Structure formats: structure tokens, C-alpha cells
Amino acid sequence: LFGALPDLVSLTPMFFKYILGRKKFDKNRALKETPNYVFELYAYSHSIVVFLVFFIPTFLAFGYDSLFMLAWLIHIIFDIPTHGDGFFQTKFLYPLSNYSIDGFSWANKKFLVINYSLVILSFILIFLGVW
């Protein structure tokens, strides 16, 4: 849940618009039609600063039982270099800074093949009890 949280918080409105509305996704049109609040939610939910505001008090209150929240941080860390071309670049220091890295797009076919191959390999290793 916490690994998906940043995208769930910010992109659920777009999910309903494009998936349930049966609209074909087009990056340029999506950028023009996306309401500003979606970009604002994305900035907050993908911020290490915001993560720490929630994680530190939770960790102090519940200790190691709150480590599952680190999936949120891992999501942010993976998004920093994998969002490029000005499309939902990760402002990981927001609201202190709007700084982001123009990384490579996770939608790149080579990246997708490598990514999903590693996911499948991981599941196989878990299933076999190797990992």
C-alpha cells in the first residue's frame, strides 16, 4: 500500500478520466488537460520532505513496526531518475524546493523490458525459495 501511495494519492483522478472514461492516453493532451491540483498532489506525495514529516513521528511512536512505510520512500527514490521529458518529474524536496532531475522515461521500451524481466525473475526466485 505505501509503495503505491504516492501515485494513488495523485493520479487516481487521471485513472478515472482515462481508464474508466475509455480515453486513449496521449502524453501531450494529458499535460494540457490535467488539472493543476493533480500536479500539486503529485509534488506533495512524491516529496522526501513530506515523507519524513509522516515517517519520523510514526517511527518514534511505533518503532520498527512502522518500517513498512519505507516503501513510500523507495517509490520516491525510484521515481527521481525515471521521470523525464517534463512529464511528472519528481520534485523530491517539495515544498522546500521545486528542484527535479530530468531523467529517462520509465516508459522507454528497453527500460520496461529490463524492469519487468527483473520483476518476473524476483517472483521466480521467491517462488523457488531461493530469495
Side-chain angles (χ1 to χ4, degrees):
L1 178 64
F2 275 88
L5 179 75
D7 288 342
L8 289 174
V9 166
S10 58
L11 301 176
T12 298
M14 300 310 293
F15 170 80
F16 285 109
K17 183 174 185 172
Y18 286 98
I19 303 299
L20 300 180
R22 299 185 191 263
K23 280 190 167 188
K24 184 177 180 193
F25 180 79
D26 174 79
K27 183 171 96 172
N28 294 323
R29 188 179 77 222
L31 281 172
K32 291 176 190 171
E33 294 179 359
T34 302
N36 286 336
Y37 73 86
V38 172
F39 293 106
E40 194 73 18
L41 286 171
Y42 184 89
Y44 278 104
S45 66
H46 286 75
S47 168
I48 293 173
V49 174
V50 173
F51 164 77
L52 290 173
V53 165
F54 285 93
F55 179 73
I56 290 172
T58 305
F59 183 77
L60 291 173
F62 300 105
Y64 290 105
D65 289 340
S66 60
L67 290 182
F68 61 87
M69 290 179 70
L70 291 176
W72 179 2
L73 177 62
I74 292 167
H75 178 114
I76 295 168
I77 290 168
F78 276 110
D79 274 4
I80 292 169
T82 60
H83 284 69
D85 299 329
F87 193 67
F88 284 102
Q89 286 179 228
T90 305
K91 300 174 185 177
F92 57 95
L93 299 174
Y94 194 82
L96 303 178
S97 170
N98 284 325
Y99 179 75
S100 65
I101 294 170
D102 188 16
F104 57 93
S105 174
W106 58 264
N108 176 297
K109 289 180 184 178
K110 289 180 184 176
F111 179 79
L112 285 174
V113 168
I114 293 168
N115 183 51
Y116 287 115
S117 296
L118 290 172
V119 169
I120 291 168
L121 177 63
S122 297
F123 280 120
I124 291 170
L125 293 174
I126 291 169
F127 179 76
L128 295 174
V130 176
W131 186 23

